Amino acid sequence: MPRGPLKMAESESQEGNYYNRGNKVQNFKADMEELLEEMEKLTVHAAWLAYDCTPIQTNPDLHNAMQRLEDVFLMCKEQMQKKWQEVLMESRGEGQKKE
């Protein structure tokens, strides 16, 4: 049996496999580098969040000011809703007068 062409086909197949493996390794490396960069960005972001939270936890005046701001916001929101309801009632009343 002639083995020459078969050996060449096996050799080419192995070269193709080696090339494919090389591409997979390169793609894997590129993917890992991209993931590493993304993790670095997330780490920096998390560090800044922790840095920003530290004064809130350690400064009671800041907490009190934030609570007061929230209370005032909720009162304002309630007043706006009441005013909006009044405006709606007035507009409905004017619409009924015209009919």
Side-chain angles (χ1 to χ4, degrees):
M1 273 184 156
R3 293 187 171 213
L6 185 58
K7 283 282 189 188
M8 287 181 65
E10 285 178 6
S11 176
E12 288 174 5
S13 175
Q14 286 175 353
E15 286 175 15
N17 287 338
Y18 180 77
Y19 178 75
N20 287 338
R21 235 180 284 138
N23 274 347
K24 287 179 183 179
V25 169
Q26 285 299 87
N27 290 340
F28 177 76
K29 285 181 180 179
D31 290 345
M32 292 306 293
E33 286 176 9
E34 189 176 314
L35 287 172
L36 181 60
E37 286 178 25
E38 190 63 30
M39 287 300 297
E40 288 172 352
K41 290 177 187 176
L42 291 172
T43 302
V44 169
H45 185 70
W48 277 111
L49 286 174
Y51 178 80
D52 290 343
C53 288
T54 301
I56 293 171
Q57 294 174 354
T58 58
N59 186 349
D61 292 336
L62 184 57
H63 174 73
N64 294 338
M66 292 296 288
Q67 186 64 49
R68 175 79 178 125
L69 183 61
E70 183 179 7
D71 293 343
V72 171
F73 168 77
L74 292 174
M75 287 189 311
C76 181
K77 182 179 173 183
E78 184 180 334
Q79 290 298 319
M80 292 295 289
Q81 287 173 340
K82 286 180 184 177
K83 205 55 146 164
W84 178 246
Q85 291 299 321
E86 289 174 15
V87 168
L88 285 176
M89 293 297 200
E90 287 176 10
S91 67
R92 287 181 187 158
E94 289 177 11
Q96 288 174 356
K97 290 179 186 176
K98 291 179 181 178
E99 294 172 2

